[in-house]
Amino acid sequence: MVTDAKTLTRAADNIRVLAAAMVEKANSGHPGGAMGGVDFVNVLYSKFLVYDPDDATWPWRDRFFLDPGHMSPMLYSVLAMTGRYT
C-alpha cells in the first residue's frame, strides 16, 4: 500500500502524462476529465482497492466500474501503472 505523499504525487503525474498521451495519439477527445479525476482514482487504487493484476478472476477482488468515455484514458493509465497492461 502506497502512503508516501511524494510517491502518490509522482504516480498521479505519470497517470496524467499517460492519459494526455493517449488522447494525443488518438487525435480525438480531450484529456480534461481524465486529468481531473487522476488524484481520486490514484488514491483509490493505491490505498483502498484490493485486487491482483495477475489474477483477474479472483472472486474476492474489489471492482471499480467507470462509464466509458472521457475518463477512459485515466482508467487505462492506472491499470497500466498497476501492471495490468505491459
Side-chain angles (χ1 to χ4, degrees):
M1 179 183 315
V2 178
T3 57
D4 176 4
K6 184 177 179 181
T7 302
L8 283 172
T9 300
R10 289 187 66 190
D13 289 344
N14 282 315
I15 295 166
R16 283 186 188 91
V17 168
L18 288 171
M22 280 185 231
V23 172
E24 180 69 25
K25 177 78 172 170
N27 199 25
S28 177
H30 55 85
M35 294 178 80
V38 165
D39 291 313
F40 87 83
V41 83
N42 183 38
V43 170
L44 185 67
Y45 269 86
S46 298
K47 294 188 174 192
F48 297 103
L49 289 182
V50 177
Y51 61 95
D52 181 357
D54 296 324
D55 187 3
T57 62
W58 180 45
W60 310 117
R61 72 193 182 282
D62 288 333
R63 287 138 172 104
F64 176 67
F65 293 90
L66 181 70
D67 186 39
H70 295 299
M71 300 294 269
S72 295
M74 173 191 67
L75 182 59
Y76 295 141
S77 298
V78 169
L79 292 174
M81 297 218 22
T82 62
R84 186 71 182 131
Y85 300 116
T86 55

